[in-house]
Amino acid sequence: MTDPGHPGTRAIHAWLLLLPALVLLVAFTHYPAVQTLIDSFHSTPKGSRPAEWVGLENYQVMVDDPVFWTAVRNNLWFASATIPCSIGLALLMALWVNERIAGRAFLRMAYFTPTVLPMIAVANIWLFFYTPQYGLLEKFTSLLGLPSVNWLGNPHTALGAVTVVAIWKEAGFFMIFYLAALQTLNPSLREAAAIEGASRWQFFRRVQWPLLMPTTLFVLINAFINAFRMVDHLFVLTRGGPNNASTLLLYHLYEVGFSFWDTAYAAAITVVLLVVLAGIALIQFFVLDRRVHYK
């Protein structure tokens, strides 16, 4: 009989335990990623015509595609607004509900509720807010005597409108991480700061904020990835319009792959998106990670 304490036996048992997860990881993550990379160098198969090797042609089409660059520009504006606003709002909410205030449990539930709602449901809620003539914002602005605004139909306001929805959805999710981090801080730190005469702002700036930097790094990476993969609410609110004013990169990828059925070009966009996101995540993790740990 095999000795169960033998190192080789333990290694076999370990790999057998890991095997189901490895099969799922390879089948649904690694293989699709490799296949997408291969497809990006081929043409789109149509009917009985198989895919042919075209090299970098799909990437050249991407460079010459004005809608792609519009989506990139929109996504950069979207990310530059959602990332700092959602993180800042999450931190403010976490600091507030971490204090001993009346109704603290209700506030925590209220802040976290948008997170558990499906994005399609959230988009329908905000569609009622933005709808011209009888929407909630329209009623409010009419009481103030302001002119009517088609928030989702105006090219100048459509992107900002969908950005607000994303911030409202994301802030509660990030608040949970900050709240958990705040609750792990030693209460004696606040007592020591009070003895030294530090104000609440000084205590936050000199003590809490530095100790929250590991959490901030984690939240920052997730916020950046979410900013480039958020697409659900566009199907309900704007469908990328008007005139691609609110088209984001992932929505453009969806249209190319499933509306125009150009799967090869969609694969090329996917590869570029994955490479950019992976590169930024690695930079954030390895460069900023050195600045967030304190001994």
Side-chain angles (χ1 to χ4, degrees):
M1 295 180 64
T2 305
D3 182 12
H6 191 273
T9 304
R10 291 200 301 268
I12 293 174
H13 289 169
W15 282 108
L16 288 175
L17 291 172
L18 290 173
L19 185 60
L22 288 175
V23 170
L24 293 175
L25 189 64
V26 171
F28 295 101
T29 302
H30 294 115
Y31 172 75
V34 173
Q35 189 60 47
T36 298
L37 178 63
I38 295 173
D39 290 343
S40 68
F41 296 106
H42 289 77
S43 62
T44 300
K46 296 181 179 179
S48 60
R49 189 185 71 183
E52 299 179 354
W53 176 268
V54 295
L56 298 176
E57 181 178 329
N58 291 315
Y59 295 92
Q60 183 60 46
V61 172
M62 185 192 311
V63 172
D64 298 332
D65 184 6
V67 180
F68 169 78
W69 291 111
T70 299
V72 170
R73 184 171 60 253
N74 291 342
N75 224 141
L76 291 176
W77 281 108
F78 181 80
S80 64
T82 56
I83 293 174
C85 291
S86 60
I87 292 178
L89 186 59
L91 181 57
L92 289 175
M93 292 190 301
L95 289 170
W96 189 12
V97 299
N98 190 52
E99 300 291 334
R100 297 183 180 274
I101 57 176
R104 181 173 62 175
F106 174 77
L107 282 175
R108 290 179 179 178
M109 181 186 68
Y111 289 155
F112 188 68
T113 297
T115 300
V116 300
L117 294 176
M119 195 61 185
I120 297 299
V122 170
N124 278 283
I125 293 172
W126 281 87
L127 184 63
F128 168 70
F129 292 167
Y130 288 136
T131 302
Q133 297 182 358
Y134 61 87
L136 187 61
L137 286 178
E138 185 73 12
K139 298 296 183 182
F140 181 74
T141 54
S142 63
L143 290 176
L144 299 178
L146 299 175
S148 176
V149 178
N150 187 354
W151 299 98
L152 299 176
N154 189 330
H156 301 291
T157 59
L159 184 59
V162 299
T163 301
V164 170
V165 177
I167 294 172
W168 184 79
K169 181 77 165 60
E170 292 287 298
F173 177 68
F174 297 145
M175 180 205 70
I176 296 300
F177 296 103
Y178 276 121
L179 182 60
L182 286 170
Q183 292 178 346
T184 60
L185 299 183
N186 195 330
S188 62
L189 295 173
R190 182 183 294 271
E191 297 172 1
I195 293 173
E196 294 294 331
S199 64
R200 180 172 296 185
W201 166 249
Q202 290 173 329
F203 174 67
F204 168 75
R205 182 166 175 256
R206 298 294 186 180
V207 179
Q208 287 180 311
W209 176 242
L211 293 175
L212 290 175
M213 286 305 293
T215 303
T216 301
L217 175 63
F218 173 79
V219 169
L220 180 62
I221 293 174
N222 280 272
F224 195 94
I225 294 174
N226 289 346
F228 282 87
R229 72 176 181 85
M230 191 170 293
V231 68
D232 305 18
H233 59 314
L234 292 182
F235 290 95
V236 176
L237 294 176
T238 64
R239 293 190 176 272
N243 194 25
N244 296 315
S246 61
T247 296
L248 301 181
L249 195 55
L250 194 58
Y251 185 81
H252 177 57
L253 191 156
Y254 169 83
E255 283 193 318
V256 170
F258 296 98
S259 295
F260 308 135
W261 291 105
D262 192 351
T263 56
Y265 181 32
I269 298 176
T270 303
V271 170
V272 171
L273 182 60
L274 290 177
V275 169
V276 171
L277 289 179
I280 293 177
L282 290 174
I283 291 174
Q284 290 177 331
F285 186 78
F286 288 106
V287 175
L288 298 181
D289 185 63
R290 301 176 182 178
R291 302 173 179 268
V292 301
H293 292 292
Y294 297 87
K295 297 182 180 180

